[in-house]
Amino acid sequence: MTSGFRPLLPADPQAIRALVRATGFFTPAEEEVAVELVEESLAKGAEKSGYHFHLYAGAEKLLGYACYGPVPMTLSGFDLYWIVVAPETQGKGLGARLLTACEQSVRGLGGKRLYSETSSRPLYTPTHKFYERHGFIAEARLIDFYAPGDDKIIYTKIL
Amino acid sequence: MTSGFRPLLPADPQAIRALVRATGFFTPAEEEVAVELVEESLAKGAEKSGYHFHLYAGAEKLLGYACYGPVPMTLSGFDLYWIVVAPETQGKGLGARLLTACEQSVRGLGGKRLYSETSSRPLYTPTHKFYERHGFIAEARLIDFYAPGDDKIIYTKIL
């Protein structure tokens, strides 16, 4: 089995839980949310659930994935909910490939704007740099949104 | 039967649909979302669904309601999803009473910040004035969020 993009599979709730946990980057509550989106997409389908996936697997396991979907009540806004790359695969351009795949799909669905929300904490500085390097701008900031001292930054990319 | 606040009842999906429609203020898609939140709260309960309600009924029908709930992944953020008053009851302070009821409940649940998202369109100028009069500030704005020329304004009230 070679590496590459593949569709969402029934075993992916477990695969995505393992990947998200392996990064050491997410809280248990965030891990639950990540898994719930996979389960909902598998149960209802991407269109009905609103959760679309791009997954990239190596020979032995899932190496990265992204999850996006339309923003309800908007004409052409999409949220990039998750973009996660396995620790041993980071720094090799897989995040950029996943992002490009999402942007192409979003354009194909008529999307004009892609949003990504992130925490302002220093832990997320590489995430901020990733978005800025790939054409997102920090369009808005909500002070103390997640917790005192932990703002929400909303990144926007015009497609 | 006198007027007053009352809990959510099994017939409220229809009552809320009628109220939301009577305002002439919401699109059919928005009306569907309003009803879905009621149905989910009735099916799963307020805590599990994340949709809490305050309803105010007159002798014959529902006159207004508000829906709020915790913002996932935040320590103490709450969203004010809906606040709707029947056309014939507007301008009599019911919106303010519903808002006060939400703020008290949110504080009781440990909430420190209440968010309300609205469109920048002139149709919503009375909404903006309502929030500003009641201690919200326009903390962020996302250009062309809903559609070209239709920004999202995020109002925040510190509780």
Side-chain angles (χ1 to χ4, degrees), chain A:
Chain A
M1 189 176 154
T2 56
S3 297
F5 284 94
R6 65 157 175 80
L8 199 62
L9 299 173
D12 278 330
Q14 299 92 294
I16 281 179
R17 183 186 295 279
L19 172 60
V20 163
R21 191 174 294 176
T23 64
F25 208 74
F26 300 101
T27 66
E30 288 168 336
E31 185 182 310
E32 286 312 315
V33 172
V35 173
E36 275 168 27
L37 304 196
V38 183
E39 287 171 343
E40 206 165 323
S41 191
L42 283 167
K44 299 183 181 173
E47 201 173 328
K48 186 127 198 294
S49 70
Y51 302 123
H52 301 252
F53 285 83
H54 282 298
L55 303 102
Y56 190 96
E60 282 165 18
K61 62 169 191 168
L62 189 64
L63 295 177
Y65 84 100
C67 175
Y68 65 94
V71 184
M73 316 241 204
T74 69
L75 193 64
S76 50
F78 280 73
D79 274 319
L80 180 60
Y81 296 112
W82 292 81
I83 182 160
V84 182
V85 170
E88 67 271 27
T89 311
Q90 286 174 15
K92 296 179 182 168
L94 181 53
R97 289 182 68 183
L98 286 163
L99 176 60
T100 300
C102 289
E103 290 175 7
Q104 288 173 343
S105 301
V106 166
R107 279 197 200 92
L109 293 165
K112 305 274 191 219
R113 280 170 186 260
L114 186 61
Y115 296 99
S116 186
E117 304 183 345
T118 109
S119 158
S120 64
R121 281 187 293 149
L123 175 67
Y124 291 90
T125 302
T127 309
H128 305 157
K129 289 190 174 157
F130 173 81
Y131 287 126
E132 287 161 12
R133 204 160 59 234
H134 289 96
F136 285 78
I137 55 149
E139 189 177 8
R141 187 174 186 125
L142 295 170
I143 302 298
D144 295 342
F145 180 86
Y146 295 108
D150 187 358
D151 306 344
K152 174 159 90 171
I153 305 174
I154 302 172
Y155 279 93
T156 307
K157 182 167 184 174
I158 297 172
L159 299 179

